[in-house]
Structure formats: C-alpha cells, structure tokens
Amino acid sequence: MIENTFCHIDGIGTKKEELLWKSNICKWDDLEKKLKEGFKLSSLLNNKNHPQQDLFPFKYNTLDDFSHSIIERLNQSKQALDKCDYNFFLSKLPPKEHYRLLSTCIDDALYLDIETTGLSKIVHDVTVIGALYKQKFYQWIWPENLDLLWELIKEASIIVTFNGARFDLPFLEYHFPHKFIQKPHIDLLYLARKANIRGGQKIVEEKLGIKRNKQLENILGYDAIILWTHALYGDSLALDKLLLYNKSDVELMPRIATLLCDRLIRQDFNDKRDTNSSQEIEIVHHTIKFVNLRIEWNNRRTNLNLLLGKISKSEENLPKIIGIDLRGNPDKPTGFCYCKGAETVTKIVYEDNDILEETLKLKPDVVSIDAPLSLPKGRVSVSDDSPCREKGGIVRAAERVLWSRKIPVYPALIKHMQKLTQRGIDLTKILSEKGIPVIESYPGAAQDILGIPRKGVDQSLLECGLREFGFVFSEDLTHDELDAITSALVGFYFLANQYEPIGDDQEGYMIIPIKNRQMKWVDEKVNGKMKAIVMAGIPGAGKTTLAKKLSYELKCPALFLGHELRRIAKSNVQLSTMLAQGSLAPEDAVEEIIKEFSNQTDAPFGIVDGYPRHSQQIELAGTLFSDIIYVVLQIDVDTALQRIKNRITCDNCGWVGNRSERDFSACPICACIDLKIREEDNNQVLNIRLKEARHRLDELLSIIPLKQKFFINSDDSCKKTCIDIMKNVLKRSL
C-alpha cells in the first residue's frame, strides 16, 4: 500500500494523489516512468487558471525541475522502504494515513501495551508491560528487569499501539528516560477514527467483529487499576485476570491492524486484502510469581512505621495528628480523625465549636484540614458579589499545579466550594492563634500519589489501603472518616519532612506527600551506590530553593542538611547552641544523616544541599556515592548578605520567606504566627559565617576536579537553572 502513496511527496496532496490514481498511475514506478516520458502533473488540473496558482507561487524555476524533484523523492522513498526507514514516511503522513505504511509491516511490528496505576504519568506508575514481536508474546510485571524489552524496542523497526501516542509511549519515556528509545510509531486509534470508529480498543474490537475471552468482556481500562490494587493487597486471582487482560490487549492488536487496513484500503482503493490469516502466538517471557510481588511491595513501599521513624526515635513521644474532612455546611457530617502513632480514632462532628473543642483538648502536633485554607490572588472575599471578583479569579496556584499533573480538583472559589473555603479559613485562624499548626491537605491528591484508590473508585479498597499503610482503626467507617484518616496521613508526611508544598507565599500552600520510588522497576544504581548532585555555594546563594525545584524536576530524593540538623536540634541543646553560634555541626551527627540518605536503595541519584563542606567530608562522600557533580551557585557577598538579612523563617516547618517582598502575618505552609529571624542570621554571626563559608567554598573548589564542577549564576531564574543542569550536568556525567 505504501508504494501506492504519493501524498508524502512535496507538491502532491491527497487530491492530486487521487487524480493520479484515476489516471491509472497507481505506483511509484508508474509515476517515475510517466515523468521521464514528459508527463506534467499540472495536466491533472483541467482549469489552467486555477486560483491557487496566484495564491501560492511556483517555487521551481521550470516544470522540468519540479519533475526531477519528484523523481528524486520517489527514489528516496524506495531506498527508505528497503532500509525499513519508516520515519521517512510517518513524518510526512498525517496519523490517519499511517495505515498505508502499516499494511506493509503488520507482521514485523512490535505491538506494545502497558497497564498503570492511573492516567497521570507524573503521579502514577507502570505496573504491567506486554509486547508482541514476530509472533512471540512477552510480558513483564513490576518490578522485573526490563533489559529484554529495551532490546526488543531497539531491534524492532516500528512500534504499534492503541492510544499509545497519548498514553503508553509518554509514560515509558517519562519513567524510563535513560532507557526508552524513540522509534517509528503507528497509533491504531487514529486509523480507527479514519474508519469512522470512535472509542477505546474494546469498542473498536466490537465494531470490527472481534470477540474477546468471556472472562474479559466486561473489563475496561480503569478496571485494570483496581485489579492491580487487589493484587497488591493479596488477591492472586486479580493479578491473573490483569495479566490476561494485558495479554489480550496486545494479542488482538495485529488483528485490529489487519481489519482496519483492509477497511481503509477498500474505502480508498476499492481493493481487498486477505483478513482471515491467524497465527498462533508463543508465550516467551513468564512473569514473576505472585508471592514475589507481595514481598517486593511490602519491602519497597513507604508505610507508617517508616514515617514515624523519621518523626520520632522514641515510642514514648509519638506524634499526635488530627485529620479533618471538612464540609462547607455544618448540617452535613465532617469526618474527624485523631492519630497517636498508628492508633486511630475517628468520629463524625458537625459544628465548628465541636471541632475546636475536640482539637484544643487533644493538643495535636499538627492539624491537617481537607479544605482550601486561603484565597486566590486579588481576592479578599469568597463571594462572587464582592468587588474583588473583578480583579481576582477563583483558582489558586495549588489547583493549577494539580491540574498540570492530571489530578482532578475543584477551584477554591467555584460556587459550591465558597462556604467550605470560608469555613476552612475561619477555623485555621482560630487554631493558629491558639498556637496549633494547621496545614491544608487534599485526600484525593494524596491517595493518587500514594496509589490508594479514592472512595469514588472503591471505598473498601480505600479502607484496605489505609490499613495496609499501617493505620489501626475500627470497622465500618464512613467515607468522611476515611478521608479524615487520609488527611491525617498527609500530616505524618508533613512532620516527617516528606512533603511537597504546592502554591506560593502569597496564596499559601497545599501539602501533598512526596511521591516515593516504591514502584521503581529496575535498580539503576552503579555498584549499589547512589549518584549525587551537590549544591555548593555560600549562605544566601539559593541552594535550597534550587535543590527543591531540581528534586521535583528529576523525580529524585533530596537531602537538606541544614533543615535536618535544625530538626534534630529541637531536642538537642548542645547542637542548638552550636548552630545559633554559626558553628559547624559535629561530624558524627552529619555522617549519620548523610549515610542514611545515601543508602536509599531505589534512588539512582539524589540532590544534596549542604554537604560536603571540607576535605574530610569530600573523602567520605567519595565512598558513599558512585559519582558526584558539584553545582556551584555564584553570588557576591553583598547580595547574599542582603538576602539573608531579609530572611524570615518558621521554626515549626522550616519555611523561609523574604520580608522585602511582603509582610507575613503567618507561615503560608503551616499557619504558625510565631515567625522569626534565625539566631545565626544576626549581623555579628552573619559576617563570621559568610567569611568562613567563602573560605571553605574556595578550599572545596580547589580540591574538586574541574570535570565535576558546574558553575551557574545565582541570579538566573530557577527554571532556567534547572534546564541548564538537566541538559549539561546529567548528560555529561550522570
């Protein structure tokens, strides 16, 4: 079929191509022969005064030049087909015309389909991968090694998927950026649309008369997510059904491709292909046993005990957290949850006074509320009747971030959210004035990030997921109480410093858990060691800000040594005194922190802020990390001094703000009103710190080899800096 195609040649569109066919010029050789005999393409147009001739001037000097260019393109087409250079054709043909090429390579294509935990490549993970290549079926289930898959993709001349252009391939490219290879690709979804069949793969199969295994007739794509969750929670039959579903998706693709090509060829050419051929598929690669899946899941996943270990080293000092699933109307039930460690007590409350009375009585370390706790920029009221509505919108930065990650969330001031937002703001103000930290959480986002099904998907799975995480609570809870437990779970991530604040200083922040690497497929660490990107620079250079941004962009863990030391110093008077004087922390304390960070088994590389600072630490870092790149932020001392003098911090959560930008009455992360200037940021200590820091940095840079250093300007935007690092540092060394 591809040899009947002319519309990939410059100067020949689909209409002119159709005129060629009607003139009995149906193959490349036919057109080449005619052109050499003096045939002019312009003769196909009966109207010599075609209006387009004036609109689009002829770019060739003569018609002979045009004919020669077409002949040259025809020869290039033949060479590309002989070499299986399918990108030559796909780059010129629109997706709906890709069937012309597919009809020639149906038996040689690699058919690919993946299953995931959701629709967002940023938040969700790949669980199962199925592939069919040269009549052999392969299947991988997390966390198997994927080397064979990359070999198959490298060998294959073309990949065929259903909806892979928007789903499967972007997922693979995002999660395996150093492994996935771009290859020519045909998406059957667009061929089905050209054949006037709209819908998913199952609908296309029905329209084409393809019948599935009866066990799979009622299973759709979203059911695959639920099956995976059931499998993780102990249902081996669910795993079997998921694998069969994936296998069926892949094995039916060649049949779909054949029938679609047949229909489209008959539609365009009144030709017919043989569609009755069916070859037996050989299963080559066997998946891991179910028991191994459960073992891997239990070993790799984050759980409540791990978070508690980061929050408190003593069982006698367990964190106390309250989670509230707030309703806008006090007449409707609000879920209330109190956790002391894993022990969880829930109840339903209604009035604000009941919420406040219970909270103040329990004296929690933090309250996590499921409700917007701030207004969008420009708004001073939740009401649409307020004059501020003309200047401010209904959406905050936090909602936009979630939308960008394909996590559904309502705008803070959409009509039915206005009462909820106002109620959340009022409760936060009262609690913060009482000295209780308050954070904004969103159970739906937390559940998506942690791989726990939402209540709207399956409430029993939500309950099971929370129990699997480590919470201990009674039976038969309402969905309000389960969401309250999830809000409390966000509170645990907050206290363990395993969270990402999304939003900004003006609007405030929503707290979401940091996505862990529990669903990592392959261990990419070199010799079992992590690679490190170290932020180097004097205080005030912007190391922490850049490290946070880079950690998110690269999907890797980050260590903020200063924050960790200040957290430990809250219960260590000697360390607290040393930090207040601007002195370096004891080596044993620093070494313990850095060793714990470097031992993260699932992370191929990580970001380090604040380490190493001298030659001995460089030697230790060399033994802990397989490779180190130092990102040096350059800034003059006066600018750094001015930045630090304007710095204001929250002792509770470690937030750092700039007083020169605006006045802060409360922390935009945890609502604490007791904001301070760090003791070590006073003028006397600051001058000493900067002088010593500059000396240590110069000494550090004199020891580090040039190839391990990457210099950037501290005044550059964080976004530009991240792009520079990802393009240069990672490509050069990591």
Side-chain angles (χ1 to χ4, degrees):
M1 178 60 217
I2 192 64
E3 294 179 89
N4 303 103
T5 296
F6 302 107
C7 62
H8 68 291
I9 297 174
D10 292 339
I12 301 179
T14 53
K15 290 185 178 180
K16 195 172 288 187
E17 179 185 59
E18 189 174 345
L19 291 173
L20 285 170
W21 294 336
K22 288 181 179 179
S23 301
N24 205 29
I25 302 175
C26 299
K27 291 183 176 291
W28 295 338
D29 289 341
D30 297 339
L31 180 56
E32 183 178 0
K33 181 180 178 182
K34 285 285 188 180
L35 290 172
K36 288 180 178 179
E37 292 174 352
F39 173 75
K40 307 297 183 186
L41 281 177
S42 57
S43 65
L44 295 173
L45 299 174
N46 295 326
N47 183 4
K48 294 183 179 180
N49 297 318
H50 198 280
Q52 288 190 352
Q53 291 179 354
D54 295 328
L55 293 174
F56 304 99
F58 197 65
K59 67 178 182 179
Y60 297 95
N61 294 327
T62 66
L63 288 174
D64 286 339
D65 290 342
F66 184 39
S67 297
H68 286 311
S69 73
I70 292 177
I71 292 173
E72 182 181 353
R73 190 68 173 176
L74 289 171
N75 289 328
Q76 291 172 353
S77 300
K78 294 174 185 178
Q79 294 172 8
L81 187 59
D82 290 340
K83 295 178 181 178
C84 296
D85 179 12
Y86 296 138
N87 265 336
F88 177 86
F89 304 101
L90 297 179
S91 62
K92 292 289 185 179
L93 293 171
K96 66 180 182 179
E97 301 296 338
H98 286 177
Y99 77 93
R100 300 166 181 246
L101 177 63
L102 179 59
S103 62
T104 67
C105 58
I106 284 179
D107 295 333
D108 297 325
L110 171 68
Y111 296 88
L112 189 66
D113 183 63
I114 68 171
E115 310 303 334
T116 68
T117 57
L119 300 177
S120 171
K121 66 182 181 182
I122 299 174
V123 173
H124 299 119
D125 297 289
V126 181
T127 57
V128 178
I129 302 174
L132 178 65
Y133 185 53
K134 294 183 177 179
Q135 305 306 317
K136 293 182 179 180
F137 177 73
Y138 305 79
Q139 194 170 54
W140 298 264
I141 179 172
W142 174 87
E144 286 187 289
N145 186 289
L146 295 176
D147 286 346
L148 178 57
L149 172 64
W150 310 131
E151 290 176 11
L152 293 176
I153 291 177
K154 184 177 181 180
E155 179 184 332
S157 54
I158 193 166
I159 295 174
V160 177
T161 66
F162 193 99
N163 196 31
R166 297 185 301 179
F167 186 75
D168 302 71
L169 299 192
F171 252 94
L172 292 175
E173 186 176 8
Y174 182 83
H175 286 276
F176 308 101
H178 306 300
K179 297 285 188 177
F180 182 72
I181 304 170
Q182 292 287 352
K183 298 299 287 278
H185 171 235
I186 293 178
D187 193 331
L188 296 176
L189 173 71
Y190 298 103
L191 305 193
R193 287 182 178 178
K194 181 176 173 64
N196 296 317
I197 305 175
R198 292 189 170 270
Q201 182 172 338
K202 316 307 171 294
I203 293 176
V204 172
E205 290 168 5
E206 291 175 8
K207 295 289 186 180
L208 294 175
I210 300 174
K211 292 186 178 181
R212 284 199 162 218
N213 185 313
K214 289 186 177 181
Q215 298 181 55
L216 306 173
E217 285 180 350
N218 298 320
I219 297 181
L220 300 176
Y222 204 76
D223 297 315
I225 301 171
I226 299 175
L227 288 172
W228 174 257
T229 306
H230 276 294
L232 291 181
Y233 296 165
D235 187 346
S236 60
L237 294 178
L239 179 62
D240 292 340
K241 186 173 286 189
L242 174 62
L243 299 181
L244 183 61
Y245 171 80
N246 173 259
K247 181 173 180 286
S248 181
D249 270 359
V250 178
E251 289 181 348
L252 290 176
M253 282 186 200
R255 183 69 173 159
I256 295 172
T258 301
L259 292 174
L260 285 176
C261 285
D262 170 66
R263 178 175 293 199
L264 293 172
I265 289 171
R266 283 189 284 121
Q267 175 181 302
D268 289 347
F269 298 94
N270 196 26
D271 190 9
K272 190 170 183 178
R273 289 168 53 92
D274 175 21
T275 60
N276 295 318
S277 60
S278 177
Q279 294 177 289
E280 186 175 345
I281 305 298
E282 176 187 355
I283 298 179
V284 173
H285 190 72
H286 296 280
T287 58
I288 62 175
K289 294 180 180 179
F290 173 74
V291 64
N292 291 346
L293 173 63
R294 285 286 293 166
I295 291 172
E296 289 288 350
W297 172 247
N298 287 324
N299 287 342
R300 288 170 177 251
R301 65 176 178 155
T302 299
N303 55 51
L304 198 54
N305 282 334
L306 291 176
L307 293 178
L308 288 172
K310 292 180 179 293
I311 298 170
S312 173
K313 301 296 183 182
S314 169
E315 292 188 4
E316 299 175 356
N317 192 28
L318 292 173
K320 296 181 292 183
I321 298 173
I322 286 177
I324 300 174
D325 179 39
L326 193 64
R327 291 291 194 95
N329 187 344
D331 294 333
K332 294 185 177 181
T334 285
F336 186 94
C337 162
Y338 172 69
C339 297
K340 185 174 183 180
E343 293 298 325
T344 305
V345 179
T346 66
K347 64 189 302 185
I348 293 296
V349 294
Y350 291 89
E351 299 293 335
D352 287 358
N353 288 337
D354 296 334
I355 296 173
L356 293 170
E357 183 181 345
E358 285 288 333
T359 302
L360 295 174
K361 179 176 67 176
L362 294 169
K363 298 179 180 178
D365 297 305
V366 67
V367 175
S368 176
I369 300 179
D370 171 20
L373 304 184
S374 62
L375 299 173
K377 289 186 180 74
R379 298 296 296 269
V380 294
S381 167
V382 300
S383 173
D384 289 333
D385 298 329
S386 173
C388 67
R389 178 64 182 91
E390 297 179 3
K391 296 181 179 179
I394 64 172
V395 182
R396 303 174 302 164
E399 284 99 47
R400 290 191 175 92
V401 171
L402 292 181
W403 289 342
S404 72
R405 302 180 191 181
K406 294 189 177 180
I407 298 177
V409 61
Y410 288 118
L413 292 187
I414 197 172
K415 191 70 175 178
H416 75 271
M417 290 283 289
Q418 291 173 358
K419 289 183 179 179
L420 175 63
T421 299
Q422 186 61 62
R423 192 181 186 192
I425 291 172
D426 292 342
L427 285 172
T428 299
K429 186 174 186 298
I430 295 171
L431 291 172
S432 63
E433 288 174 349
K434 298 291 185 180
I436 297 177
V438 181
I439 61 171
E440 177 182 333
S441 58
Y442 174 39
Q447 289 154 4
D448 286 354
I449 292 167
L450 299 176
I452 302 173
R454 295 192 184 198
K455 60 191 177 189
V457 175
D458 190 321
Q459 185 170 321
S460 64
L461 279 181
L462 169 57
E463 180 176 341
C464 184
L466 293 171
R467 292 187 190 279
E468 286 264 332
F469 202 89
F471 288 98
V472 179
F473 50 87
S474 60
E475 302 288 340
D476 301 324
L477 299 188
T478 66
H479 64 81
D480 304 290
E481 292 169 290
L482 292 174
D483 272 352
I485 295 175
T486 308
S487 283
L489 173 56
V490 176
F492 281 102
Y493 272 90
F494 172 75
L495 293 181
N497 196 33
Q498 300 293 302
Y499 69 92
E500 178 189 357
I502 57 173
D504 59 38
D505 284 352
Q506 184 174 341
E507 291 181 341
Y509 294 88
M510 178 191 296
I511 302 302
I512 61 175
I514 287 180
K515 180 175 172 57
N516 56 44
R517 302 178 62 83
Q518 62 193 26
M519 289 294 290
K520 183 71 180 171
W521 277 71
V522 289
D523 186 1
E524 296 176 355
K525 293 169 71 175
V526 178
N527 298 324
K529 295 180 181 179
M530 176 192 288
K531 302 174 184 178
I533 301 176
V534 171
M535 302 291 111
I538 63 175
K543 301 186 297 297
T544 301
T545 301
L546 177 59
K548 288 180 179 178
K549 180 69 175 175
L550 200 58
S551 173
Y552 168 71
E553 294 292 342
L554 297 177
K555 307 180 290 296
C556 67
L559 170 66
F560 304 97
L561 183 60
H563 182 79
E564 284 297 305
L565 289 170
R566 282 188 289 274
R567 182 180 65 83
I568 297 171
K570 290 181 180 180
S571 57
N572 187 319
V573 177
Q574 182 182 0
L575 179 59
S576 177
T577 303
M578 293 180 68
L579 295 180
Q581 294 172 347
S583 303
L584 290 179
E587 287 297 320
D588 57 345
V590 173
E591 186 173 324
E592 182 180 351
I593 293 171
I594 198 70
K595 282 184 176 179
E596 181 181 355
F597 177 75
S598 67
N599 284 331
Q600 297 188 55
T601 56
D602 286 336
F605 57 87
I607 313 296
V608 181
D609 171 24
Y611 184 93
R613 296 191 177 185
H614 53 71
S615 57
Q616 288 182 333
Q617 290 183 348
I618 289 179
E619 291 179 11
L620 177 61
T623 65
L624 297 177
F625 301 104
S626 64
D627 190 14
I628 305 175
I629 282 292
Y630 294 83
V631 177
V632 185
L633 285 82
Q634 297 177 301
I635 187 173
D636 64 85
V637 174
D638 290 339
T639 303
L641 187 63
Q642 193 60 39
R643 285 185 181 181
I644 296 173
K645 283 183 176 180
N646 287 322
R647 195 160 62 183
I648 189 169
T649 66
C650 172
D651 272 352
N652 181 65
C653 69
W655 167 81
V656 179
N658 191 330
R659 289 179 295 164
S660 66
E661 296 177 355
R662 58 167 295 194
D663 291 328
F664 293 95
S665 59
C667 172
I669 289 181
C670 69
C672 285
I673 58 176
D674 187 19
L675 302 180
K676 299 178 180 178
I677 298 173
R678 289 178 186 165
E679 292 184 27
E680 64 265 33
D681 285 353
N682 67 71
N683 285 335
Q684 183 178 357
V685 174
L686 195 53
N687 289 324
I688 298 173
R689 283 179 62 208
L690 286 175
K691 184 177 180 180
E692 291 180 350
R694 171 61 69 186
H695 175 73
R696 285 196 303 269
L697 180 62
D698 291 341
E699 185 182 63
L700 196 71
L701 296 179
S702 68
I703 300 172
I704 301 168
L706 181 61
K707 67 177 183 179
Q708 288 184 272
K709 292 181 286 192
F710 182 72
F711 293 90
I712 60 174
N713 189 337
S714 180
D715 291 330
D716 288 344
S717 71
C718 198
K719 182 177 181 180
K720 177 183 181 299
T721 301
C722 282
I723 293 173
D724 288 344
I725 292 173
M726 286 187 284
K727 282 184 178 179
N728 296 286
V729 175
L730 296 181
K731 185 182 294 185
R732 183 175 69 184
S733 177
L734 300 180

